[in-house]
Amino acid sequence: MADDANAIEAALEARFGARIKVDPELPGLGELARIAGHRSHRTFTKQAIEPDLLRLLCACALSAPSKSDLQQCDIVVVTDAAIRRGIVATIPDMPWIMDAPAFRLFTGNGARLKALAKLRGKPFPNDHLDQFFNAAVDAAIVMTTFIRAAEAAGLGCCPISAVRDHPRTVSDLLRLPERVIPVAGLCVGWPARDGEITPRLSLETTVVENAYGERDLAAEIDAYDRRRAQRLPYRRQRDVAHWGEASFYGWSEDKARQYGVPTRTGFGAFVRGKGFGLD
Ligand SMILES: Cc1cc2nc3c(=O)[nH]c(=O)nc-3n(C[C@H](O)[C@H](O)[C@H](O)COP(=O)(O)O)c2cc1C
């Protein structure tokens, strides 16, 4: 108990740069310690994962809450190596996706709800952005719950939003029906390394009491950049040929560079083409 409490305090200090006191008598400390110590994994041992365990993780993931109990997320189990190669070919800078013992794709499925309307002879007037949003949010919650379950079993995961770089190709490879869109892929395996805790913005920045107020965002970001650089400095600068070499390279510089070039600009057209209304 005290060990778990200490582990949580240490993990959260690494994450947020502040000590958060944990009562060693609190129930559920083991689970909290795993959540606090989360890290994405991108290198795995060659050990396979038992199919029964993967199925159990799917069942746990799909036990997550679902908006209005609409159940608009599916998990695509990608076991065909040729299909996975086809997906990885659309993401040339992440070849390691191929090395993960298991790969799953979480989809937002807006097809079933529309089918229910037809089956029950009802109109379907709510084909607008909220419908798409609900399906995407459900998929994100199911994926997160899958990660939680996998980490509880000692596995490591890495979500892959890059499956949306070329969504049409991914959709064709997996024969995603109308109104079913890829939200994220997920690499799953037994971690080859311990991995590291990625520091986050301070709780003063991201936890808001009652209402948003005036902030010195630049100072908060600067403090985070420096805290993060001390703990987990970037190993290389993004696209130096385009942006030049920065004397100090922090999180804000990296994210500004990342979002300083257009990406996935065709995703809206893809989603509309799949039959979702986005207005
Ligand atoms: C929806 C989502 C999509 C992500 N997509 C990718 C991806 O395409 N490639 C990748 O290497 N990591 C991806 N990640 C992992 C993030 O980079 C990672 O969560 C972040 O750097 C924080 O690290 P941590 O998870 O270890 O705390 C994704 C994470 C989420 C939640």
Side-chain angles (χ1 to χ4, degrees), residues 15 38-40 42 94 96 143 158-162 196 198 200:
R15 184 89 70 200
H38 157 79
R39 64 225 44 195
S40 292
R42 297 179 179 83
M94 297 181 200
W96 49 268
M143 181 179 76
C158 184
I160 304 293
S161 64
E196 296 196 75
T198 303
R200 298 278 196 269

Side-chain angles (χ1 to χ4, degrees), residues 80-125:
D80 184 317
I83 293 180
R84 203 196 306 187
R85 264 196 303 278
I87 296 172
V88 174
T90 68
I91 316 171
D93 56 337
M94 297 181 200
W96 49 268
I97 296 171
M98 209 55 217
D99 300 335
F103 186 74
R104 300 287 176 270
L105 184 90
F106 294 82
T107 66
N109 185 335
R112 269 192 298 267
L113 187 56
K114 194 165 183 188
L116 298 186
K118 196 167 173 204
L119 279 170
R120 299 292 160 236
K122 301 291 184 300
F124 191 66

